[in-house]
Each structure stands twice: as C-alpha cells, then as structure tokens.
Amino acid sequence: MPIHVSAARRGGLATAALAVAALAGGCAAPPDGMQASGRIAVAGTSSPSADLPSSLTGQRLDWSPCPAPSDKQGTTGEAPSRLPDGTRWECATLKAPVDYSKPEGKTLGIEMIKARKARGKRSDGDRIGSLLFNFGGPGDSGVATLPNAAQDYEKLRGRYDLVSFDPRGVGRSKGVNCLGAEELDRYFAADWTPDTRREESGLLARQRQFAEGCEKRAGDLLPHLTTENTARDMDLMRQVLGDDRLHYFGVSYGTELGGVYAHLFPKKVGRAFFDGIVDPTTTPERGALSQAKGFELALGNYLESCASQQDCPVGDTPQKGRKRIEELLTRLDSGPLPTQDGRKLTEAQAANGIAQALYSKELWGSLTEGLTQAIDDKDGSILLFLADLLNGRNQNGSYSTLQSSLTAVSCADEKQRYSRATIAKLLPDFTEASPIFGASSAWALSHCHDWPARGKSKTTDVDAKGSAPILLASTTGDPATPDAGARNMKRELGEGVGVLLTYEGEGHGAYGSTAGQGDGEDGGPGCVEKAVNGYLLDGRTPKDGTSCE
C-alpha cells in the first residue's frame, strides 16, 4: 500500500514494541491523472452552513461508561480502564448534520469520549473547559486513542476535561471500510511499485476496486466526509459541551483540521496547539514528494544510529544500510518471505513496516530486530507486524477504518486526480528523492483513481485573521510532516496568529517524545512539554522561534 500521511498513535507504541520483542522470540503472532467519474456530486460543502437548529446545538449528551473499542476503531478487547484518581472514561453520541447546507436534514452520530477534569490535589486550578483532541490520519479513532495516550496528558487534565472523538467516516462514526478483511489483506500485500505496463494496469484496477467498494458501502456519505465538515462538527461539539471557545490539541492531520477550524471560526479559537504540522499550501504531488524526502531523511538518521552499534543487520555505514535494504526489497519483489502467522511478507509490506518504525524513535530497536530477522533468518514476521500497524489490521484479522477513512477523506478534500501518464512523469523526481520510498509515494497519488465523488479544493485555506494565538510545534527529523510545513502553516494562518516552537529531534510529533523527560530548563529535555503546558494551562505564550533539543 502506498504511504500516506498518518499520525503515529503514541498510546500504542509501547505495546507495539513489546509485541515486536515477543515476535522476535517466536512467542507471539502479528496482529490481527485519472478523472473523477462524477457518479456522486459534492453537495453542501462549498458554502457556509446555515444556522443550526436548537435540536442540534441544545442537545444533551448521554454520557455513560465506554464499551470496548470495536474492530472499526482498532480493537484492544477491553473497555478503557479508570484513570489513577478513579475517574472513568465516558462516551456519548453527538448528532450532526450529514450536510451542513441542510441542517434540518439527515444526521449522523459522532462518537465522543471524555475524562473529566482531575479532582483534589491533582487539580492545577479552576476548570478552563474541554480540551478536544484529534490524533490525525485522517482516519485515527480518537475514542480508541485518547485512553491509551492519557498518561501523556494527565497534567492537562488539571484544568480541562479531556475529550476526543471519531470523526465522521471513522470508527463508530459511520466508519468506512471499503473492502472485506481478506480483500484488504490482498490489497495491502500487492505490488505498489509497478515495473511494467501490466503491473501498472493491475495497480489502477485495484484502486478502482477499492473505490467501487467505498461507493457500495458508503456512497451517499462520501461527498460529506470533508475536513471542512469535520471542523463544523467540532464547532457543534464546542457548543454542546458548553464552551465559549474551542480549546484544541491537534496532531498530524489534526493540525490541518485545526487550521480549517480556525479559518472557519477564527473568533471561536481558544488555546490551540498543533503538533507534527501538515503543510496547508502543498498539493498532493508536492506533499507526497516532501514526505518521501522526510522518510528518506528519517531512514538515514536511523541507519546512522544503527551503524554505530554492534551487529547492525544492514552494515556499519548508512550507505551500506541503504544498499542492503534496497537488496531486501528487490528480493521481496521477486518472492515474499514466510511469517509466523502463515501470511507472507511482500515488498510493499516490508517498505510499510520500515516506514511505520520511522514514525517514532521508540520503534528503532524493533526495526533493527525486524531487519535482522528478515535478512538473516528469512522470516518476515516483525516487519509484517509493523506494516499491520500502519494499515490498521487488528489482532483478530479484521481491519479498523484507518486506511479506508484516510482515502475517503483525502479524496473528498482533494480536487486533483492523477493519471498514469502524470505519475510516470513524476517518478524520476520521486525516486531521486528517495530510492526506498520514492516510487511507492509517487504511485500513492493514484489513490483517488476513479473515485466516485469530486474533490473540493487544490490546497487548504487556513487564513485565520483575528484568531487567538495558535502554538505550532515542528520536529526537525519528522518523516511524515517535514518541518518546512510548520513555517508555511505559520505564514498562512496570518500575522500574529502562529507561534512556532521547534524540537531538534526525531519522530512524528514533539509532545510526548523523548523531549518530555526532565525539567525542561534551558531548552533541554522537557522543553516542549513545559512550553505547551504553560500555554494550555496558564495562557503563557512562548517566544516565537523557541528551540528545544
């Protein structure tokens, strides 16, 4: 499967690392421009919505104990446990218009989760309101992710209720699964770096089948799965939660969503933080090329670290490392490796497994184990496990909506449709930028091939003149959202809105990274969290241009 921008779900990283370690010991199994056809017209997404009726803005949410996550959300098999102070997680369903141009029309349910503000000694002051999280994708389930990541945000619960949600088209909010589990297994295992015209035709045929599956399962909803509509859903949440302003924490795609919200509702922005910032000025082809460069940079940083250690499976220099990985992928293009669960590791899955590990430095050790296993033992189990994380495959073999939702939202947003000829012209630039990830990133531009709904715009408008300050965090070694995007976001938000904080480090996102260890003095460890918490909790805006190491 081609690589797309997707948030690394922090709450799952530690669990993933442990599971990969078990795999290495054999003790566990991996978890379970073409033109748009125009069959569906975009409805109600190009103009501001009418005033919402009181039946929506005045609805009372029925908060109750949360069930276990569903397969569509990414299952763990258990309901979220209480927080250390005894606070339980509560869930509710918000009614939102399917089409904001027809607010009295059909509604869909938006699933939400909440942990109330900390009590007693854990409280840092008066309650500010709700802090709404979006963890990215588009396609991540906030209802499943927030409890797993809650330890990172416990200080913020000193003054906020922590709230997240499954965006429309995700998880329990009418989540889109375009194909069945066995079909998705074949889809992700297929060849996404075609070498012949026949293989190119096969790739586009798979994309057509995927689009037809989406149309069959969610056709009427597809035109309405836009980022703009999700931003309007967030403003409805703000009203129903009783907040005058939206306080927000957005990661990866969540920064694009936050920027769109600020554009639509600049006077309703409260304290907002964007982490791992998507460039709002980029077109899909420029974004894909930038991401290919970002993963190549992150791979180089990993290989440099690996080469400095004994028994690095890919050699004692980054140059040798790249060559050995290229050789591995070439061999897999000819024939897959066996794994412990009976499936095979293909070239595409190996590349995606490597990419997943580059999202966080915490998974570099697992990547080393996976490469050792694949190269020395001819066993693809660990790399397949990592690919499953990227693709949203659950332990029971089912799939979350992660990748289907990502495609549905992207194709509802993006006006561009890329032909085989256009991609062929772009390929040399992509392969030069990244011998490992370039070709798959270029062919990822076919993901809206024959999509049944037209896209909305060519770039994202985030002009937010009149908004309160928005804190932006960029990571210099970020593979998925290279740090140049943060500077573009700052410029596009408008004069005096964006405040830029740079983390000199690795991984996708700065908050909760290794920068979180320590007291945060003098730009050292903890600097990111100290700056962000000071802003969100006390309203202290850090100096623009602050750097953390």
Side-chain angles (χ1 to χ4, degrees), residues 277-281 462 472-476 481-494 498-502 504 544-545:
I277 295 164
V278 174
D279 188 342
T281 69
V462 297
L472 314 174
S474 174
T475 301
T476 55
T481 53
D483 65 341
R487 294 188 291 275
N488 290 337
M489 174 70 81
K490 181 178 184 294
R491 183 185 68 247
E492 294 299 309
L493 286 171
V499 178
L500 184 58
L501 171 69
T502 300
E504 303 284 344
D544 185 37

Side-chain angles (χ1 to χ4, degrees), residues 51-70:
D51 291 338
L52 298 181
S54 59
S55 60
L56 294 176
T57 59
Q59 63 185 292
R60 296 177 65 86
L61 298 181
D62 182 18
W63 294 104
S64 58
C66 295
S70 69

Side-chain angles (χ1 to χ4, degrees), residues 166-187:
D166 287 358
R168 55 174 59 209
V170 175
R172 281 200 168 107
S173 298
K174 295 286 185 181
V176 177
N177 269 131
C178 297
L179 299 173
E182 292 184 1
E183 293 173 306
L184 286 172
D185 277 346
R186 292 191 293 270
Y187 181 76

Side-chain angles (χ1 to χ4, degrees), residues 55-128:
S55 60
L56 294 176
T57 59
Q59 63 185 292
R60 296 177 65 86
L61 298 181
D62 182 18
W63 294 104
S64 58
C66 295
S70 69
D71 288 348
K72 283 192 169 187
Q73 293 171 305
T75 181
T76 63
E78 297 180 356
S81 57
R82 290 177 181 261
L83 290 160
D85 66 351
T87 299
R88 72 177 185 180
W89 292 97
E90 301 172 278
C91 288
T93 303
L94 176 87
K95 291 190 303 181
V98 170
D99 184 345
Y100 272 92
S101 72
K102 301 175 182 178
E104 301 276 3
K106 291 182 179 180
T107 62
L108 76 161
I110 304 296
E111 294 300 302
M112 299 178 63
I113 190 168
K114 176 175 70 173
R116 298 181 187 273
K117 172 184 173 293
R119 302 188 296 270
K121 292 182 180 180
R122 302 186 71 85
S123 176
D124 293 331
D126 295 334
R127 179 180 179 277
I128 295 172

